[in-house]
């Protein structure tokens, strides 16, 4: 895998512009399809010479309610995905730590706040800005090594026909 010395960070609008210049038509506030992600991986490789990149400022509409909106434009979120060769290996975001803002987001997304009461209440005691991410280690190994199947990167691969080691 080719990786640049400095992180390659593509902002959502810039990534969409690259795809549009390549003849694709992703929706401004829709999530990217797998085909879009793969094409973006090719375009990033051509333009920046790297297999690894981050796409940030995803639309808030395609992220969970607890994702912090961008301060400058709440249609977007403080979230990102990491990719190797156009395949997602990690998803992460800043979490919303403001109970008032959480209630507002829940109302906008038409989510009942009642079952989330204790979650929201926890933030009323004061929480520092924070974030989280989930990484698919087997996908990282599979893509980094250029294997032909992700199961080759797993100690105990699972599929519909294999549920035990």
């Amino acid at each position: 895998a080719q990786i640049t010395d400095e992180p390659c960070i593509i902002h959502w609008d810039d990534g969409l512009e690259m795809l549009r210049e390549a003849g694709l038509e992703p929706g401004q506030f829709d999530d990217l399809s797998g085909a879009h992600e793969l094409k973006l991986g090719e375009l990033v490789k051509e333009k920046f010479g790297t297999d690894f990149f981050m796409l940030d400022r995803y639309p808030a509409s395609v992220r969970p309610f607890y994702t912090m909106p961008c301060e400058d434009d709440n249609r977007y979120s403080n979230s990102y995905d990491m990719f190797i060769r156009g395949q997602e290996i990690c998803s992460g975001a800043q979490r919303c730590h403001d109970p008032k803002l959480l209630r507002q987001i829940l109302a906008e997304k038409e989510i009942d706040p009642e079952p989330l009461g204790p979650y929201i209440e926890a933030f009323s005691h004061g929480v520092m800005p924070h974030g989280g991410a989930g990484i698919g280690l087997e996908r990282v190994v599979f893509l980094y090594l250029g294997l032909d199947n992700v199961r080759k990167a797993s100690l105990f691969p699972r599929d519909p026909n294999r549920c035990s080691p």
Side-chain angles (χ1 to χ4, degrees):
Q2 290 184 326
I3 299 174
T4 54
D5 290 338
E6 293 296 316
C8 181
I9 301 170
I10 310 294
H11 300 301
W12 182 260
D13 289 337
D14 298 332
L16 292 188
E17 184 61 29
M18 291 171 70
L19 290 168
R20 290 179 181 135
E21 287 174 1
L24 300 174
E25 289 299 325
Q28 185 68 35
F29 297 103
D30 297 332
D31 206 354
L32 295 180
S33 68
H36 288 144
E37 291 175 347
L38 286 170
K39 184 63 177 178
L40 186 58
E42 292 174 19
L43 297 170
V44 167
K45 174 81 176 230
E46 272 178 33
K47 187 171 183 174
F48 301 104
T50 184
D51 291 316
F52 176 77
F53 68 98
M54 291 168 262
L55 183 63
D56 76 343
R57 293 180 59 98
Y58 269 76
S61 60
V62 300
R63 293 302 202 187
F65 74 88
Y66 51 78
T67 303
M68 181 64 88
C70 288
E71 283 187 49
D72 63 328
D73 188 341
N74 68 2
R75 297 175 303 167
Y76 298 94
S77 63
N78 289 348
S79 67
Y80 60 89
D81 282 352
M82 294 181 181
F83 295 87
I84 293 179
R85 297 186 196 104
Q87 295 194 46
E88 180 186 329
I89 59 167
C90 179
S91 203
Q94 179 184 0
R95 306 296 190 237
C96 183
H97 57 279
D98 177 339
K100 182 178 176 185
L101 181 55
L102 270 172
R103 286 186 192 93
Q104 177 186 329
I105 293 168
L106 290 169
E108 290 168 2
K109 291 185 179 265
E110 299 180 355
I111 297 172
D112 181 8
E114 184 66 33
L116 298 166
Y119 177 80
I120 297 167
E121 177 64 23
F123 294 108
S124 69
H125 303 289
V127 175
M128 296 295 294
H130 63 287
I135 190 164
L137 186 57
E138 291 165 341
R139 294 193 85 191
V140 172
V141 172
F142 155 69
L143 293 165
Y144 187 80
L145 295 178
L147 301 174
D148 64 343
N149 190 311
V150 70
R151 292 169 30 165
K152 291 181 179 176
S154 175
L155 183 59
F156 301 110
R158 303 285 189 261
D159 63 34
N161 298 313
R162 180 181 173 161
C163 294
S164 65

